[in-house]
Amino acid sequence: MIEKTYQPAEIEPRISAAWERVQAFRAGRPERRAATPYCIVIPPPNITGSLHLGHALDNTLQDVLCRFERMRGKDVLWQVGTDHAGIATQMVVERQLMERQEPSRREMGREKFLERVWAWKAESGGTIINQLKRLGASCDWSRERFTMGERGAPDEQMVRAVLKAFVELYKAGLIYKDKRLVNWDPKLLTAISDLEVQQVECRGSFKWSSESGEPLDAVALGKVLDRDPNGHLYYFRYPLEGKAFDPSNPSTFITVATTRPETMLGDVAVAVHPDDERYKPLVGKNVILPLVGRKIPIIADEYSDPEKGTGAVKITPAHDFNDFEVGKRHSLPQVIVITTEARITTVPIFAAYEHYKIKPDDDPVKPNATFSSAPDATLKSLDGSDRFVARKKIVALLEECGFIDKIEPTVHMVPHGDRSGVVIEPYLTDQWYVDAKTLAAPALAAVNDGRTTFVPRSWEKTYFEWMENIQPWCISRQLWWGHQIPAWYGKEEDIFVELSEADAIAAAEKKYNKKVVVASSIFGSDVVGNVQAVLEAKSAGYEVIARDEDVLDTWFSSALWPFSTLGWPDETPELKRYYPTSVLVTGFDIIFFWVARMMMMGLHFMKEVPFHTVYIHALVRDERGAKMSKSKGNVVDPLGIIDDYGADALRFTLALMAAQGRDIRLSPARVEGERNFATKLWNACRFAEMNACAGVAGFNPKSAKEVLNRWIAHETARTARDVTAALEAYRFNDAAGAVRAFVWNVYCDWYLELAKPVLTGPDGAAKSETRAMVAWARDEILKLLHPFMPFLTEELWAVTAGASARAGLLTLTPWPAYAGLDDPAAEAEIGWVVDLVSAIRSIRAEMNIAPATQLPLVLAGVSAQTKARAERWMEFIGRLARVGDISFAQRAPDGAVQLLVRGEVAALPLKGVIDLAAERARLEKEMAKAMADIQRVDAKLANPDFVKRAPEEIIDGEREKREEAEGRRQKIVEALGRLGAMS
RNA sequence: GGGCGCGUAGCUCAGCGGGAGAGCACCUCCUUGACAUGGAGGGGGUCACAGGUUCGAUCCCUGUCGCGCCCACCA
C-alpha cells in the first residue's frame, strides 16, 4: 500500500539504507565484470567543508550520470574522497585552539599540533561524506580516499603517490628550488601560488567638500590623506645628485609615482624608458634617495612606460615583481625593508650604510660610495611598525622636506590572500617550484587534438589562455598540515630528494662517504637540544642532514587524484580498468586550480589524459544573483532545503536549472514546485494502485490493442529517447524537463484521465490491458526519473511491486530502450481527442458555463474518420469535457458556438445561453488571426527570391500553412454567416 | 589593458535562422473518489538599441548602451 502522503524525510533514510545493505554502488560487481567501465572521480570536498549548494549541484549532476550509466549496464565507479585542504584545515584547528584558550600551534609544536589536526579530522572530517549520502550520491563508499591517506598507515599508498610524484618530477628537473619573489601572505606566514591571490579593487578616499558636495582634489588639499592606505598615487621628488634640491625648481629633481610609498626605503634605482626624450640626459646620473641617503642610479629600461605616471619609475627589486626583473637585468642590489610579518625593517639600510660608509677622503665617484649621507636616524623608529602605519609616517617625513609633489586618489587592483584576506606582500624567499610550462605542453596538445573535450566547448579557450601563459607553480607552503616535502638538506647547497628518510641517508652517505644522521627540526621546541645534538653528531664524525620543514600545496596532491585514488603508484586492477576516467564534472572556478593540473600530472605520470570529457557547470548563486558566501550571510543551506522538501526535489530543481550559463539562481519556491511534482507522481502511483494496475509479467507494450494504450507506449518511447539523448549530450535541463513534461502533462493530465472510464468500467480485455499499460508506463517513468529523483523512485518501485516480483532494486534495473513502439496513427487519434476536449473546455470557461452543465456536441460535416473517432471516444469526451451527447449533422445548428478542431467544426448549441455579440467578437478575433496568418504566408510566397532560394521543405511547409489557415478562414466565414442569419 | 558572458512575459530563466516558451507570480472558475503540495481556463513580450548579412533574424555579423565574471606587472 502506498502511503497517502509523500513524506521524503521518512523515505530517504530508509532507501539510503537499502542501497547500502546490498552495496548497490560498488564498482566491479561480479555481474558487470564484462561491462564497459565508467568512472567519475569526485572533486574531493575539503574535510573542513559542509555541503553547500555548489556541492549539491556538482554532485547531483555526477550522480545523474552515474545512475544513468549504471542503469545502462556499465560498470560504474564513482570514486569518492576528501581533500586535506592544507591552509583551510590548519586555520580551523588553530582557531579552535584559540577559542578554547589552549596553547597555540607554535607553543605545542609540530608533532602535537598534527595530532590535534588528525583528531579533528576523525571527529569532523566525515561530515561532508554523510551529507553527500543525504543528497543521494551513489558513490562507491567502500573506496573512499583521503588526500593524506589513512593516519599512520604503514606504507600508505596516498602518501607514496605524492612522494613518488615529487621525487620523479625533481629528478626529471621539473621540480626545482628557486629564490625569487613569491606571493607572501603576512598573516598566514606562508607563500601562496598566483591562483590563491585575489585582485581586489581599491579606490582612494576622495574627500568631499561640505559646501558644494563636489569632490575635492587631494592635490589641492596638499595634505597627507589619513584614510585608506591602498588607493592613492603618491608623487615623490627624488633630488638629483650634485644639485641643490629646490622643490620649486624641477631641474633639481626627478618625480616618480608609486602606490606603495613605504617600499621607497628599498629603492635602488629610478628607471626611465630608453627612448624617452624627457629623461635621456638624466640616464646614468644619480639621485639621492630621500631619508635613506643612498645614491641610486637613473637607468634606462624598457619596462618603464612613458605613458604611465611621470614616465620615471622607482625600482624596488625586493618588493615588486617587475622591479625584481629589472633589478636582475641591471645587477641591482635587493634591499629588503619589509619582514615576513609585513613590518618595516631598516636594519639592512643601516647595515649597508655602515658597510659602505663614506670616509672624508673618499672619492664621491667611487662605485662603493653608495651613500651620500647617513640615513635619517628617525627611520629607526619605523622598525617593527606595520607597513601601512609606516606608509603614513614615511609620507609625512617626505612631505616635511618637500619631497612630495602631490597625492592623488586612484583606483587600482591590490592583491589579497584568498584565505586570509590580507594584502599580499611580494617577498624574496627560497621556495619549491613546478616547471608548469613544460608540463603544460602535452596538456595543451591533449585538448587541442580532442583527446579531452570541454562541455561547453567555450571553456577550452579559457583553458588554453591560461595554459599558454602559465607561470612556475610555487608548491611549498610554510604550514604544518600537509605532505611534508621529501627533501633533506646536507652540507652547503646539497639537497637529497628521496622517497624516504632511509633513501635520503643512503644518498647522503654515498655522497659524503661517511655516516649520516638526520637532525630533527632545529626549529622544534627543543632548539638548544637539537643544536647540541647536531654538534655532537658532527664531532663524533657524522654528517647531519635535516628535512625540509615545509609542506606541499594542497593542489599538488589533488592533481594526482584521478590516478592516486585508483592505486597509483601501484599497478592495481582498478587503475588499469578505470583510468582514464570518463568525465570530470566541476565548476569553472577550479579549471586552473585543479582541472589543468590534473591534465598535466595525468599526462606526465600515466601518459594518458585523466578524463575524456570535462563538463563545466555554472555556479550557484542566491536569488539575487550574488555569489553565496558566509560573510555575506546569503548562503542557502541545501540541508535545510532537503529537510523541507526532500533531496529529490532539490536534485530535480538543480538538474532542471543546469542549462549552460554562468550561474544558477536558486529560490526555495522553485524547489517547492518540484516537491509538488514529486507529490504528483506519488499520487499518480496511488491512483494506479487503487485501480489494480499492477505490472504483468511478460507484458509487451507492442501487443497493445487499445489506441489509448498504444498512444501512451508511443509517448513513453519518445520520452525515453529524448531523455537518453539529452543525457548523452550533458543537457541535464532538457533531460529533466522531458521527464517532467511527460509525467505531468501527458501521463497524468491525459493518459490517466482518458483511462479512467476503462478502469472504472466493466472487466474485459480492454480493462486488463489498460491496467497493465498504466503499470508499465509508470514503471518506465520510475526508471527515467530515477537518476534525478532516486529516493522517491526507488521507494515507489518497491511499493508498487505488488504481485509482480521486481528483479531487484530500481537503481540496478536496465534503462529503458525500446524499438517498434512508435505509432503515428494512435498519436493522431488521441491528439484529436485532446484538441477537442481542450477547445470545449476553453469555451466553457470563457462563457462561464457552470461545470455541472452537460452540453450537447454537434460535429458538423466531419469526415468518416472523425465520426468513427468520435464514436469511439464518446464516453471519454463526455467525461472530460462534460458533454452529454454527441451527434452528427451536415452543418452546425443555428445559434451554436462553432469551434475549429483540426480543420473541422465542432458545434456547441447554446441557444439562449450565448451572447451573440460576444460570440461574434470571438469569431472575428479568430478571423483576424487567420487572415494575418494567410497574409504573412502570402507575403513570403509572393517574394520570388523566397520561392527561388528557400529550401523546398520550407516552401511546402508555408503552402501547407496557408492551406490550413485558408480552411480555417472559410469555416469562420461560414460560422459568422450562420450567426448573422440568426439575428 | 586582454578575454569571456549576459540583456527574451512582473520575477527566475530556457530557446537560438523559417509560426515567441517553461516555472513562479497574477486573474477567473472548480473541494467530481489519485492528487487543493491539486484541476480547468486566461491575461501578459516591437526577444536592450542601431546598422548589416540573408528570400527570411530573438537567433548570424558589426557597433552602441547597460550589467556580470575571469585574467593581467599594483608607477
Side-chain angles (χ1 to χ4, degrees):
Chain A
M1 260 295 273
I2 303 179
E3 296 293 324
K4 181 143 177 29
T5 52
Y6 163 56
Q7 288 175 304
E10 186 275 323
I11 295 170
E12 292 176 3
R14 203 155 35 72
I15 295 295
S16 258
W19 289 329
E20 290 231 15
R21 215 163 26 243
V22 301
Q23 307 238 3
F25 311 133
R26 270 197 110 129
R29 296 173 67 86
E31 74 276 11
R32 299 200 181 201
R33 290 266 159 79
T36 311
Y38 183 87
C39 181
I40 294 181
V41 291
I42 199 168
N46 292 353
I47 43 167
T48 55
S50 74
L51 194 78
H52 57 63
L53 276 172
H55 291 126
L57 171 69
D58 192 47
N59 290 294
T60 292
L61 300 183
Q62 290 174 71
D63 194 48
V64 167
L65 292 173
C66 285
R67 288 181 186 271
F68 170 58
E69 297 295 357
R70 194 177 291 117
M71 290 176 80
R72 292 219 287 183
K74 290 190 184 157
D75 172 21
V76 173
L77 167 57
W78 186 3
Q79 176 61 51
V80 69
T82 49
D83 191 286
H84 68 277
I87 293 178
T89 308
Q90 183 161 322
M91 280 172 77
V92 165
V93 177
E94 284 198 80
R95 196 180 316 129
Q96 199 186 57
L97 291 176
M98 206 166 71
E99 278 163 7
R100 298 184 183 173
Q101 304 197 323
E102 290 182 70
S104 73
R105 162 167 78 101
R106 286 176 203 285
E107 282 161 357
M108 68 168 60
R110 185 169 188 143
E111 216 163 298
K112 270 211 163 134
F113 178 74
L114 288 180
E115 229 165 79
R116 279 298 294 261
V117 184
W118 278 108
W120 179 89
K121 192 247 175 192
E123 203 179 299
S124 315
T127 309
I128 187 90
I129 293 292
N130 289 324
Q131 292 171 335
L132 285 174
K133 287 182 181 173
R134 278 203 68 191
L135 185 69
S138 64
C139 305
D140 184 345
W141 305 107
S142 70
R143 293 189 50 83
E144 185 185 330
R145 294 289 184 273
F146 179 52
T147 49
M148 278 177 65
E150 212 177 300
R151 186 189 181 186
D155 202 27
E156 167 56 45
Q157 170 260 327
M158 292 297 284
V159 175
R160 274 193 289 125
V162 170
L163 293 175
K164 178 162 170 145
F166 186 94
V167 173
E168 281 197 5
L169 287 172
Y170 176 80
K171 295 194 169 168
L174 294 167
I175 281 182
Y176 56 91
K177 200 162 188 189
D178 198 7
K179 181 168 191 158
R180 41 182 280 166
L181 281 182
V182 293
N183 298 298
W184 183 266
D185 187 315
K187 185 175 174 196
L188 300 172
L189 299 178
T190 178
I192 58 178
S193 78
D194 303 347
L195 290 177
E196 291 160 293
V197 175
Q198 296 288 315
Q199 300 293 338
V200 178
E201 187 180 280
C202 288
R203 48 181 67 236
S205 53
F206 292 75
K207 293 212 171 179
W208 306 91
S209 157
S210 50
E211 295 100 69
S212 64
E214 293 292 304
L216 285 177
D217 193 347
V219 183
L221 287 170
K223 285 281 162 209
V224 177
L225 297 167
D226 59 359
R227 285 190 51 213
D228 184 0
N230 293 330
H232 291 97
L233 195 51
Y234 301 80
Y235 289 81
F236 292 167
R237 300 179 178 125
Y238 283 0
L240 289 161
E241 187 185 20
K243 297 205 177 180
F245 174 62
D246 174 3
S248 61
N249 179 1
S251 71
T252 64
F253 56 84
I254 186 165
T255 305
V256 295
T258 182
T259 55
R260 299 214 48 198
E262 67 282 8
T263 63
M264 64 82 65
L265 298 176
D267 283 1
V268 295
V270 169
V272 297
H273 196 274
D275 302 333
D276 193 332
E277 296 298 335
R278 293 172 296 177
Y279 297 116
K280 260 190 180 162
L282 294 179
V283 173
K285 299 224 159 82
N286 288 326
V287 297
I288 309 299
L289 190 59
L291 306 180
V292 176
R294 185 191 287 271
K295 289 201 292 191
I296 61 177
I298 296 170
I299 58 173
D301 192 283
E302 307 220 330
Y303 160 65
S304 177
D305 182 348
E307 304 290 315
K308 283 190 194 165
T310 60
V313 60
K314 64 193 236 10
I315 301 296
T316 321
H319 297 288
D320 181 284
F321 286 98
N322 297 308
D323 295 3
F324 179 75
E325 297 301 323
V326 175
K328 278 214 296 208
R329 281 200 286 277
H330 297 267
S331 307
L332 297 168
Q334 295 156 342
V335 181
I336 296 175
V337 293
I338 299 174
T339 67
T340 51
E341 289 171 314
R343 297 178 182 281
I344 297 297
T345 173
T346 60
V347 173
I349 297 173
F350 286 94
Y353 173 66
E354 289 303 322
H355 186 262
Y356 293 119
K357 206 179 222 163
I358 312 160
K359 297 183 184 77
D361 56 345
D362 267 354
D363 176 354
V365 191
K366 262 163 65 176
N368 68 348
T370 310
F371 286 80
S372 72
S373 67
D376 188 328
T378 55
L379 286 183
K380 278 190 175 156
S381 70
L382 294 173
D383 278 346
S385 61
D386 175 82
R387 55 190 156 167
F388 298 125
V389 175
R391 175 177 299 180
K392 250 163 67 181
K393 286 188 187 163
I394 288 170
V395 170
L397 283 173
L398 288 171
E399 193 174 32
E400 225 169 85
C401 309
F403 293 124
I404 301 257
D405 179 38
K406 56 181 174 176
I407 302 167
E408 289 174 343
T410 188
V411 178
H412 65 149
M413 304 299 277
V414 177
H416 287 68
D418 66 352
R419 288 278 171 193
S420 66
V422 301
V423 175
I424 289 303
E425 200 60 53
Y427 192 70
L428 196 57
T429 57
D430 279 305
Q431 300 289 342
W432 290 94
Y433 292 89
V434 166
D435 175 0
K437 202 177 171 68
T438 303
L439 291 174
L444 269 166
V447 176
N448 246 324
D449 62 27
R451 273 173 290 151
T452 293
T453 323
F454 280 68
V455 179
R457 209 66 192 260
S458 55
W459 288 109
E460 289 179 6
K461 185 160 185 171
T462 306
Y463 173 86
F464 288 140
E465 196 65 34
W466 189 70
M467 287 293 243
E468 280 161 8
N469 298 300
I470 199 160
Q471 298 298 310
W473 172 19
C474 175
I475 49 169
S476 42
R477 295 289 179 277
Q478 287 64 51
L479 305 172
W480 288 351
W481 177 242
H483 290 276
Q484 193 173 351
I485 292 173
W488 284 261
Y489 300 104
K491 281 200 322 205
E492 289 159 16
E493 304 281 291
D494 295 339
I495 303 178
F496 304 95
V497 173
E498 300 293 343
L499 289 169
S500 66
E501 188 175 287
D503 289 355
I505 291 173
E509 285 180 344
K510 195 173 162 202
K511 170 142 193 172
Y512 298 137
N513 202 20
K514 60 172 152 174
K515 278 287 180 194
V516 165
V517 292
V518 174
S520 53
S521 162
I522 56 164
F523 301 108
S525 44
D526 185 14
V527 177
V528 180
N530 276 306
V531 172
Q532 191 62 32
V534 168
L535 291 175
E536 276 172 19
K538 284 200 170 182
S539 64
Y542 289 92
E543 195 47 70
V544 177
I545 58 173
R547 185 168 183 175
D548 194 313
E549 298 264 300
D550 293 348
V551 301
L552 290 165
D553 179 7
T554 299
W555 295 104
F556 187 87
S557 49
S558 310
L560 314 177
W561 190 248
F563 47 99
S564 65
T565 52
L566 297 175
W568 189 87
D570 301 331
E571 284 177 25
T572 61
E574 288 81 10
L575 189 61
K576 203 169 168 191
R577 182 162 174 77
Y578 300 107
Y579 192 97
T581 68
S582 309
V583 57
L584 182 87
V585 178
T586 192
F588 59 81
D589 52 333
I590 55 174
I591 291 179
F592 305 146
F593 272 114
W594 196 45
V595 180
R597 288 161 178 177
M598 283 190 287
M599 288 292 290
M600 295 194 272
M601 294 300 188
L603 281 158
H604 186 263
F605 289 108
M606 299 296 295
K607 310 294 168 217
E608 251 185 300
V609 294
F611 20 72
H612 298 299
T613 302
V614 179
Y615 177 78
I616 300 289
H617 61 245
L619 251 39
V620 185
R621 294 170 192 278
D622 74 358
E623 287 166 85
R624 295 186 309 280
K627 200 167 173 176
M628 289 188 189
S629 74
K630 276 185 201 141
S631 55
K632 269 187 249 170
N634 62 346
V635 180
V636 177
D637 176 17
L639 296 161
I641 300 261
I642 291 174
D643 288 339
D644 292 346
Y645 304 112
D648 284 326
L650 173 62
R651 293 168 55 111
F652 199 56
T653 307
L654 290 170
L656 279 165
M657 298 178 89
Q660 289 181 18
R662 289 263 165 160
D663 41 61
I664 292 177
R665 300 189 191 192
L666 189 83
S667 72
R670 182 73 201 249
V671 183
E672 186 180 350
E674 302 319 320
R675 189 276 318 269
N676 294 352
F677 168 70
T679 304
K680 184 76 183 176
L681 176 64
W682 184 267
N683 283 306
C685 290
R686 282 183 63 221
F687 171 80
E689 184 183 62
M690 286 171 188
N691 286 283
C693 302
V696 173
F699 174 75
N700 182 357
K702 258 186 266 189
S703 67
K705 305 263 184 307
E706 299 293 315
V707 176
L708 180 63
N709 291 333
R710 294 214 313 275
W711 171 72
I712 197 65
H714 165 91
E715 292 292 332
T716 306
R718 185 166 64 175
T719 304
R721 261 199 309 275
D722 290 351
V723 174
T724 305
L727 285 180
E728 283 173 343
Y730 302 99
R731 293 197 321 270
F732 297 95
N733 58 321
D734 287 343
V739 203
R740 189 186 197 279
F742 175 66
V743 172
W744 206 320
N745 306 119
V746 177
Y747 186 75
C748 291
D749 288 353
W750 292 104
Y751 180 62
L752 293 184
E753 291 303 327
L754 286 164
K756 276 176 184 174
V758 186
L759 294 171
T760 57
D763 289 348
K767 186 167 175 175
S768 38
E769 182 189 288
T770 301
R771 280 174 163 170
M773 186 62 88
V774 167
W776 177 82
R778 176 249 281 140
D779 286 354
E780 300 311 294
I781 285 169
L782 295 180
K783 293 176 196 168
L784 292 172
L785 197 54
H786 183 259
F788 304 97
M789 301 186 123
F791 295 107
L792 168 70
T793 51
E794 190 74 78
E795 168 75 2
L796 287 171
W797 184 255
V799 296
T800 57
S804 75
R806 301 284 200 204
L809 289 173
L810 174 59
T811 203
L812 296 171
T813 298
W815 183 254
Y818 357 71
L821 288 183
D822 291 342
D823 194 333
E827 207 276 319
E829 182 152 332
I830 303 299
W832 175 80
V833 175
V834 167
D835 286 357
L836 176 66
V837 170
S838 299
I840 298 171
R841 279 172 172 173
S842 179
I843 282 299
R844 295 185 63 116
E846 240 174 82
M847 306 224 157
N848 278 321
I849 294 165
T853 311
Q854 298 264 352
L855 295 179
L857 172 68
V858 180
L859 296 175
V862 298
S863 68
Q865 187 190 38
T866 302
K867 191 172 181 219
R869 281 175 179 169
E871 279 162 353
R872 266 201 297 279
W873 294 98
M874 201 168 282
E875 193 185 345
F876 301 80
I877 295 163
R879 186 179 172 127
L880 295 180
R882 305 245 136 204
V883 166
D885 168 71
I886 300 181
S887 58
F888 304 92
Q890 272 312 108
R891 46 177 24 227
D894 288 346
V897 174
Q898 299 160 69
L899 304 170
L900 283 177
V901 177
R902 300 210 166 186
E904 292 178 317
V905 175
L908 295 169
L910 289 167
K911 211 166 205 165
V913 178
I914 63 165
D915 174 342
L916 288 179
E919 176 62 1
R920 175 176 298 281
R922 187 183 72 82
L923 285 172
E924 274 167 357
K925 202 171 149 195
E926 282 202 30
M927 175 70 128
K929 223 158 85 190
M931 295 298 289
D933 286 348
I934 291 167
Q935 273 169 23
R936 191 172 35 74
V937 176
D938 279 350
K940 276 192 180 183
L941 291 172
N943 182 342
D945 284 330
F946 173 71
V947 184
K948 203 158 51 188
R949 302 188 190 218
E952 200 143 335
E953 63 269 24
I954 295 294
I955 297 170
D956 289 347
E958 291 296 321
R959 293 215 166 98
E960 272 167 39
K961 272 185 228 164
R962 194 193 185 288
E963 239 169 88
E964 181 276 327
E966 176 56 28
R968 223 169 349 129
R969 192 188 67 82
Q970 277 173 26
K971 299 282 182 193
I972 298 166
V973 168
E974 286 165 27
L976 278 168
R978 273 190 297 277
L979 206 60
M982 283 173 56
S983 43

